[in-house]
Amino acid sequence: MEKKKIIIDCDPGHDDAIALLLAACSSKIKLLGISVSSGNQTIEKTSRNTLNICRYFDIKVPIAVGCSRPLVSEPMICEEVHGKSGLDGFDFPKYEDKFDSRNGASLIVDLLLKNEGVTVVTTGPMTNLALALRLKPEIVHHIKEIIFMGGSVDNGNVSPAAEFNILVDAEAAHIALHSGVPIKMIGLNVTRKVLVTDEIINRAFTIGNKKSIFFAKLMRVFLDNQKKAFHIVGAPLHDPVTIASLIDDSLVSYQSMNVEIDISHGNSHGRTNCDVFDYLHAPKNCLVGMNIDVKKFWNQIFNCLRSKSHE
Ligand code: RIB
Ligand code: CA
């Protein structure tokens, strides 16, 4: 079966790191390239983290440094979850800097113009994708679909209304949602069902190979930081759900509905207004993830950790 061609735009970030690993290890995916966004940490740190992950697991794809800040809003980072480095918990060997000469948006444009039927996956603020859509509108004809981790059918995780990726760059998310490209939303209402717990971490440590130790060390910090910050017992493993849903299209169930981003400047800025009951009778512009097979998800994660790929 032909591999699914994808581009990932991410802001590693602990959960982004696992999404990258899952994509790289899957025989169903051909990762064309990675553009990096600022978000969980500054662009310098998210780019460095992306390069370290790819060097450590020998993931040979172009990595382009993207925007250092959102289109309009002031930059925001998420140090309380991801730490000062943006990927606290794992020490990489020293690698030389070898980023692609293009910026993030240009890499997205070039890879799309050279390929057909590409899935664009975003697991951070959507700034680079929005810029690419404005830079070269014709790329929409090369995109099969956009899958973004962001938003929520219900409440946010950085404000009562907004989820982090969308709050950081609400205008970018608005541009993506109005691109006319088929788009899937993997929001908190789904990702809050797949929780990293002490048991999950201990299970990974028990496997004891390169990928599982990497996973366990990162998730230890990812969970402990959120226990401290939010007094939770499990940390939602947000970003890998985008990739897992590509590997197994039965994993997530969707509902077609109208979704608009609140780009006003009140307390609901960045909210994904999901019209679940079609009150507005507005165009259904988004497939919104509504449920996930949690057992299948973790089976995918642990199959990836146990696999020989990228050992
Ligand atoms: O709100 C969760 C999202 O914000 C995830 O993508 C996480 O990595 C952060 O970017
Ligand atoms: Ca992310």
Side-chain angles (χ1 to χ4, degrees):
M1 193 169 116
E2 194 183 346
K3 291 192 174 195
K4 294 179 179 178
K5 291 178 283 187
I6 78 168
I7 296 168
I8 296 180
D9 186 83
C10 54
D11 62 335
H14 291 69
D15 51 334
D16 303 76
I18 307 308
L20 287 174
L21 190 55
L22 193 60
C25 292
S26 172
S27 58
K28 294 186 178 179
I29 287 179
K30 178 173 178 40
L31 178 56
L32 299 175
I34 303 169
S35 51
V36 189
S37 58
S38 57
N40 284 325
Q41 258 296 353
T42 61
I43 191 65
E44 293 76 14
K45 294 180 178 180
T46 55
S47 302
R48 155 67 44 208
N49 293 336
T50 305
L51 185 130
N52 282 342
I53 295 160
C54 290
R55 292 289 176 275
Y56 186 66
F57 288 110
D58 197 27
I59 300 168
K60 292 186 168 57
V61 295
I63 304 166
V65 178
C67 282
S68 60
R69 57 159 301 147
L71 297 179
V72 177
S73 301
E74 286 307 307
M76 275 174 75
I77 60 173
C78 188
E79 205 151 280
E80 67 274 25
V81 172
H82 301 277
K84 284 219 170 308
S85 72
L87 208 52
D88 283 12
F90 192 82
D91 297 322
F92 292 94
K94 283 272 167 279
Y95 298 114
E96 76 201 269
D97 271 3
K98 270 183 88 180
F99 293 110
D100 192 281
S101 57
R102 293 161 288 190
N103 64 45
S106 302
L107 178 69
I108 292 171
V109 167
D110 288 353
L111 289 175
L112 287 174
L113 293 182
K114 288 197 182 83
N115 292 277
E116 300 293 335
V118 179
T119 297
V120 178
V121 177
T122 66
T123 62
M126 301 164 86
T127 315
N128 296 324
L129 176 57
L131 279 179
L133 288 163
R134 287 288 188 261
L135 199 62
K136 210 85 171 160
E138 56 265 42
I139 60 173
V140 298
H141 305 303
H142 297 254
I143 305 175
K144 181 183 175 192
E145 66 178 347
I146 296 166
I147 302 178
F148 72 95
M149 191 282 136
S152 180
V153 170
D154 20 63
N155 56 1
N157 62 354
V158 279
S159 80
E163 176 278 329
F164 180 79
N165 288 338
I166 309 300
L167 182 64
V168 169
D169 201 336
E171 290 79 5
H174 172 86
I175 289 170
L177 267 168
H178 287 267
S179 64
V181 172
I183 189 163
K184 283 178 180 162
M185 172 178 137
I186 301 289
L188 298 174
N189 54 296
V190 165
T191 63
R192 281 169 166 155
K193 296 173 189 273
V194 287
L195 300 177
V196 174
T197 59
D198 291 324
E199 189 274 328
I200 290 280
I201 294 169
N202 295 337
R203 206 188 321 163
F205 263 124
T206 309
I207 298 171
N209 66 9
K210 182 176 179 180
K211 290 199 290 284
S212 59
I213 297 297
F214 175 78
F215 174 91
K217 284 186 173 179
L218 280 184
M219 292 299 106
R220 183 74 272 156
V221 169
F222 186 60
L223 175 55
D224 290 348
N225 283 353
Q226 296 188 70
K227 280 182 175 177
K228 226 180 300 166
F230 311 120
H231 312 295
I232 54 170
V233 291
L237 192 54
H238 307 286
D239 296 336
V241 178
T242 58
I243 303 299
S245 71
L246 264 176
I247 294 168
D248 176 354
D249 54 19
S250 72
L251 189 76
V252 173
S253 56
Y254 298 92
Q255 181 183 334
S256 177
M257 67 182 80
N258 179 262
V259 177
E260 287 295 341
I261 309 292
D262 185 330
I263 51 175
S264 65
H265 288 281
N267 288 341
S268 295
H269 182 76
R271 180 182 172 75
T272 46
N273 281 315
C274 300
D275 194 355
V276 177
F277 301 108
D278 197 22
Y279 294 120
L280 304 177
H281 305 301
K284 294 183 171 59
N285 60 339
C286 188
L287 275 177
V288 175
M290 299 299 278
N291 210 340
I292 183 169
D293 185 322
V294 174
K295 191 163 178 290
K296 271 187 182 177
F297 174 77
W298 287 115
N299 285 343
Q300 254 206 54
I301 295 291
F302 279 93
N303 288 342
C304 165
L305 297 183
R306 288 192 191 94
S307 75
K308 291 278 171 268
S309 166
H310 292 276
E311 270 299 316

